[in-house]
Coordinates of all heavy atoms in Angstrom, one line a residue:
F96 N -49.4 -23.5 -47.2 CA -50.8 -23.5 -46.5 C -51.8 -23.2 -47.5 O -53.0 -23.6 -47.5 CB -50.8 -22.6 -45.3 CG -50.1 -23.1 -44.1 CD1 -49.4 -22.1 -43.3 CD2 -49.9 -24.4 -43.7 CE1 -48.7 -22.5 -42.1 CE2 -49.1 -24.9 -42.7 CZ -48.7 -23.9 -41.9
A97 N -51.6 -22.1 -48.3 CA -52.6 -21.5 -49.2 C -52.9 -22.6 -50.3 O -54.1 -23.0 -50.6 CB -52.2 -20.2 -49.8
V98 N -51.8 -23.2 -50.9 CA -51.9 -24.0 -52.0 C -52.5 -25.4 -51.5 O -53.4 -26.0 -52.0 CB -50.6 -24.3 -52.7 CG1 -50.9 -25.4 -53.8 CG2 -50.0 -23.0 -53.3
G99 N -52.0 -25.8 -50.2 CA -52.6 -27.1 -49.7 C -54.0 -27.0 -49.3 O -54.7 -28.0 -49.5
T100 N -54.4 -25.8 -48.8 CA -55.8 -25.6 -48.4 C -56.7 -25.8 -49.6 O -57.8 -26.4 -49.6 CB -56.0 -24.3 -47.7 OG1 -55.2 -24.2 -46.6 CG2 -57.4 -24.0 -47.3
Y101 N -56.3 -25.1 -50.7 CA -57.1 -25.1 -52.0 C -57.3 -26.6 -52.4 O -58.4 -27.1 -52.7 CB -56.4 -24.3 -52.9 CG -57.2 -24.3 -54.3 CD1 -58.3 -23.6 -54.5 CD2 -56.7 -25.2 -55.4 CE1 -59.0 -23.5 -55.7 CE2 -57.4 -25.2 -56.5 CZ -58.6 -24.4 -56.7 OH -59.2 -24.5 -57.9
V102 N -56.1 -27.3 -52.5 CA -56.1 -28.7 -53.0 C -56.9 -29.6 -52.0 O -57.8 -30.3 -52.5 CB -54.7 -29.2 -53.2 CG1 -54.7 -30.7 -53.5 CG2 -54.0 -28.6 -54.2
A103 N -56.7 -29.5 -50.8 CA -57.6 -30.2 -49.8 C -59.1 -30.0 -50.0 O -59.8 -30.9 -50.0 CB -57.0 -30.0 -48.4
G104 N -59.5 -28.7 -50.1 CA -60.8 -28.4 -50.2 C -61.3 -28.9 -51.5 O -62.6 -29.3 -51.5
K105 N -60.6 -28.8 -52.6 CA -61.0 -29.4 -53.9 C -61.3 -30.7 -53.8 O -62.4 -31.4 -54.3 CB -60.2 -29.0 -54.9 CG -60.3 -27.6 -55.4 CD -61.6 -27.4 -56.0 CE -61.7 -26.0 -56.7 NZ -63.0 -25.6 -57.3
I106 N -60.4 -31.6 -53.2 CA -60.5 -33.0 -53.1 C -61.6 -33.5 -52.3 O -62.6 -34.2 -52.6 CB -59.2 -33.6 -52.7 CG1 -58.1 -33.5 -53.7 CG2 -59.4 -35.1 -52.3 CD1 -56.7 -33.9 -53.3
A107 N -61.8 -32.8 -51.1 CA -62.7 -33.2 -50.1 C -64.1 -32.8 -50.6 O -65.1 -33.6 -50.4 CB -62.6 -32.3 -48.8
N108 N -64.3 -31.8 -51.3 CA -65.6 -31.4 -51.8 C -66.0 -31.7 -53.2 O -67.0 -31.2 -53.8 CB -65.8 -29.9 -51.6 CG -65.8 -29.5 -50.1 OD1 -66.7 -29.8 -49.3 ND2 -64.7 -29.1 -49.5
K109 N -65.3 -32.7 -53.8 CA -65.6 -33.2 -55.0 C -66.9 -34.0 -55.1 O -67.6 -34.1 -56.1 CB -64.4 -34.1 -55.6 CG -64.4 -34.2 -57.1 CD -63.0 -34.9 -57.5 CE -63.1 -34.5 -59.1 NZ -61.7 -34.8 -59.5
V110 N -67.2 -34.5 -53.9 CA -68.5 -35.3 -53.9 C -69.4 -34.5 -52.7 O -68.9 -33.8 -51.9 CB -68.3 -36.7 -53.3 CG1 -67.5 -37.5 -54.3 CG2 -67.6 -36.8 -52.0
K111 N -70.6 -34.7 -52.8 CA -71.6 -34.0 -51.9 C -71.4 -34.3 -50.5 O -71.3 -33.4 -49.6 CB -73.0 -34.3 -52.4 CG -74.1 -33.5 -51.5 CD -75.4 -33.7 -52.1 CE -76.4 -33.1 -51.1 NZ -77.4 -32.3 -51.7
N112 N -71.3 -35.6 -50.1 CA -71.1 -35.9 -48.7 C -69.8 -36.7 -48.5 O -69.8 -38.0 -48.6 CB -72.2 -36.7 -48.2 CG -73.5 -35.9 -48.1 OD1 -73.4 -34.8 -47.5 ND2 -74.6 -36.3 -48.6
P113 N -68.6 -36.0 -48.4 CA -67.3 -36.8 -48.3 C -67.3 -37.6 -47.0 O -67.6 -37.1 -45.9 CB -66.4 -35.6 -48.4 CG -67.0 -34.4 -47.9 CD -68.5 -34.6 -48.3
G114 N -66.8 -38.8 -47.2 CA -66.6 -39.7 -46.0 C -65.2 -39.4 -45.4 O -64.4 -38.6 -46.0
Y115 N -65.0 -40.1 -44.4 CA -63.7 -39.9 -43.6 C -62.5 -40.2 -44.4 O -61.6 -39.5 -44.5 CB -63.8 -40.9 -42.3 CG -62.5 -40.7 -41.5 CD1 -62.4 -39.7 -40.7 CD2 -61.5 -41.7 -41.7 CE1 -61.1 -39.6 -39.9 CE2 -60.4 -41.7 -40.9 CZ -60.2 -40.5 -40.0 OH -59.1 -40.3 -39.3
R116 N -62.6 -41.3 -45.2 CA -61.4 -41.6 -46.1 C -61.1 -40.5 -47.1 O -59.9 -40.2 -47.3 CB -61.6 -43.0 -46.8 CG -61.6 -44.1 -45.9 CD -61.9 -45.3 -46.6 NE -60.7 -46.1 -46.8 CZ -60.6 -47.3 -47.1 NH1 -61.7 -48.0 -47.4 NH2 -59.5 -47.9 -47.3
R117 N -62.1 -40.0 -47.8 CA -61.9 -38.8 -48.7 C -61.3 -37.7 -48.0 O -60.3 -37.0 -48.5 CB -63.2 -38.5 -49.5 CG -62.9 -37.3 -50.3 CD -64.1 -37.0 -51.1 NE -64.3 -38.0 -52.2 CZ -63.6 -37.8 -53.4 NH1 -62.8 -36.8 -53.6 NH2 -63.7 -38.6 -54.4
L118 N -61.8 -37.4 -46.9 CA -61.3 -36.2 -46.1 C -59.9 -36.4 -45.6 O -59.1 -35.5 -45.7 CB -62.2 -35.8 -44.8 CG -63.7 -35.6 -45.2 CD1 -64.5 -35.4 -43.9 CD2 -63.8 -34.3 -46.0
L119 N -59.6 -37.6 -45.3 CA -58.2 -37.9 -44.8 C -57.3 -37.8 -46.0 O -56.2 -37.2 -45.8 CB -58.2 -39.2 -44.2 CG -56.8 -39.7 -43.5 CD1 -56.5 -38.7 -42.4 CD2 -56.9 -41.2 -43.0
W120 N -57.7 -38.4 -47.2 CA -56.8 -38.3 -48.3 C -56.7 -36.8 -48.6 O -55.5 -36.4 -49.1 CB -57.5 -39.1 -49.4 CG -57.1 -38.6 -50.9 CD1 -58.0 -38.1 -51.8 CD2 -55.8 -38.6 -51.4 NE1 -57.3 -37.8 -52.9 CE2 -55.9 -38.0 -52.7 CE3 -54.6 -38.9 -51.0 CZ2 -54.9 -37.8 -53.5 CZ3 -53.4 -38.7 -51.8 CH2 -53.7 -38.2 -53.2
A121 N -57.7 -35.9 -48.6 CA -57.5 -34.6 -49.0 C -56.5 -33.9 -48.0 O -55.8 -33.1 -48.4 CB -58.9 -33.9 -48.8
N122 N -56.6 -34.3 -46.7 CA -55.7 -33.7 -45.8 C -54.3 -34.1 -46.1 O -53.3 -33.2 -46.0 CB -56.1 -34.1 -44.3 CG -57.3 -33.4 -43.9 OD1 -57.6 -32.4 -44.4 ND2 -57.9 -33.8 -42.8
F123 N -54.1 -35.4 -46.4 CA -52.7 -35.7 -46.7 C -52.2 -35.2 -48.0 O -51.0 -34.9 -48.1 CB -52.5 -37.3 -46.8 CG -52.6 -38.0 -45.4 CD1 -53.4 -39.1 -45.1 CD2 -51.7 -37.5 -44.5 CE1 -53.3 -39.7 -43.9 CE2 -51.7 -38.1 -43.3 CZ -52.5 -39.2 -43.0
A124 N -53.1 -34.9 -49.0 CA -52.7 -34.1 -50.1 C -52.2 -32.8 -49.8 O -51.2 -32.3 -50.1 CB -53.7 -34.2 -51.2
G125 N -53.0 -32.1 -49.1 CA -52.6 -30.7 -48.5 C -51.3 -30.8 -47.7 O -50.6 -30.0 -47.8
L126 N -51.1 -31.7 -46.9 CA -49.9 -31.8 -46.0 C -48.7 -32.1 -46.9 O -47.7 -31.4 -46.7 CB -50.1 -33.1 -45.0 CG -48.8 -33.3 -44.2 CD1 -48.8 -32.3 -43.1 CD2 -49.0 -34.7 -43.5
I127 N -48.8 -32.8 -48.0 CA -47.6 -33.1 -48.8 C -47.2 -31.8 -49.6 O -46.2 -31.4 -49.7 CB -48.0 -34.3 -49.9 CG1 -48.0 -35.5 -49.2 CG2 -47.0 -34.2 -50.9 CD1 -48.6 -36.6 -50.0
I128 N -48.3 -31.1 -49.9 CA -48.1 -29.8 -50.6 C -47.3 -28.8 -49.7 O -46.4 -28.1 -50.0 CB -49.4 -29.3 -51.2 CG1 -49.9 -30.0 -52.4 CG2 -49.2 -27.7 -51.7 CD1 -51.1 -29.7 -52.9
V129 N -47.8 -28.7 -48.4 CA -47.3 -27.8 -47.5 C -45.8 -28.1 -47.3 O -44.9 -27.3 -47.3 CB -47.9 -27.9 -46.1 CG1 -47.2 -27.1 -45.0 CG2 -49.3 -27.3 -46.2
Y130 N -45.5 -29.4 -47.1 CA -44.0 -29.7 -46.9 C -43.3 -29.6 -48.1 O -42.1 -29.2 -48.1 CB -44.0 -31.2 -46.4 CG -44.2 -31.3 -44.9 CD1 -45.4 -31.5 -44.2 CD2 -43.1 -30.9 -44.0 CE1 -45.6 -31.5 -42.8 CE2 -43.2 -30.9 -42.6 CZ -44.5 -31.2 -42.1 OH -44.7 -31.2 -40.7
L131 N -43.8 -29.8 -49.3 CA -43.0 -29.7 -50.5 C -42.6 -28.2 -50.7 O -41.5 -27.9 -50.8 CB -43.8 -30.1 -51.7 CG -43.3 -30.0 -53.1 CD1 -42.0 -30.9 -53.2 CD2 -44.3 -30.4 -54.2
F132 N -43.6 -27.3 -50.6 CA -43.3 -25.9 -50.6 C -42.4 -25.5 -49.5 O -41.4 -24.7 -49.8 CB -44.6 -25.0 -50.4 CG -45.3 -24.9 -51.9 CD1 -46.1 -25.8 -52.3 CD2 -45.2 -23.7 -52.5 CE1 -46.7 -25.6 -53.5 CE2 -45.8 -23.4 -53.7 CZ -46.7 -24.5 -54.2
G133 N -42.7 -25.9 -48.3 CA -41.8 -25.7 -47.2 C -40.4 -25.9 -47.3 O -39.4 -25.2 -47.0
L134 N -40.2 -27.2 -47.6 CA -38.8 -27.7 -47.6 C -38.0 -27.1 -48.8 O -36.8 -26.7 -48.7 CB -38.8 -29.2 -47.7 CG -39.3 -29.9 -46.5 CD1 -39.5 -31.3 -46.7 CD2 -38.3 -29.7 -45.3
V135 N -38.6 -27.0 -50.0 CA -37.9 -26.4 -51.1 C -37.5 -25.0 -50.8 O -36.4 -24.6 -51.0 CB -38.8 -26.6 -52.5 CG1 -38.2 -25.8 -53.6 CG2 -38.9 -28.0 -52.8
Y136 N -38.5 -24.2 -50.4 CA -38.4 -22.8 -50.1 C -37.2 -22.6 -49.0 O -36.3 -21.8 -49.1 CB -39.6 -22.1 -49.6 CG -39.6 -20.5 -49.6 CD1 -40.1 -19.9 -50.7 CD2 -39.2 -19.9 -48.5 CE1 -40.1 -18.6 -50.7 CE2 -39.3 -18.5 -48.6 CZ -39.8 -17.9 -49.6 OH -39.7 -16.5 -49.7
F137 N -37.3 -23.4 -48.0 CA -36.4 -23.4 -46.8 C -35.0 -23.5 -47.4 O -34.0 -22.8 -47.0 CB -36.7 -24.4 -45.7 CG -36.0 -24.1 -44.4 CD1 -36.7 -23.6 -43.4 CD2 -34.6 -24.4 -44.2 CE1 -36.1 -23.3 -42.3 CE2 -34.0 -24.1 -43.1 CZ -34.7 -23.6 -42.1

Side-chain angles (χ1 to χ4, degrees):
F96 288 148
V98 179
T100 298
Y101 179 80
V102 170
K105 283 294 188 184
I106 292 170
N108 292 287
K109 201 168 194 162
V110 298
K111 184 175 173 136
N112 291 311
Y115 181 78
R116 291 178 106 163
R117 174 172 284 279
L118 296 175
L119 187 59
W120 156 241
N122 285 344
F123 281 132
L126 178 69
I127 290 167
I128 289 168
V129 168
Y130 276 98
L131 181 64
F132 274 81
L134 292 170
V135 169
Y136 195 91
F137 197 104

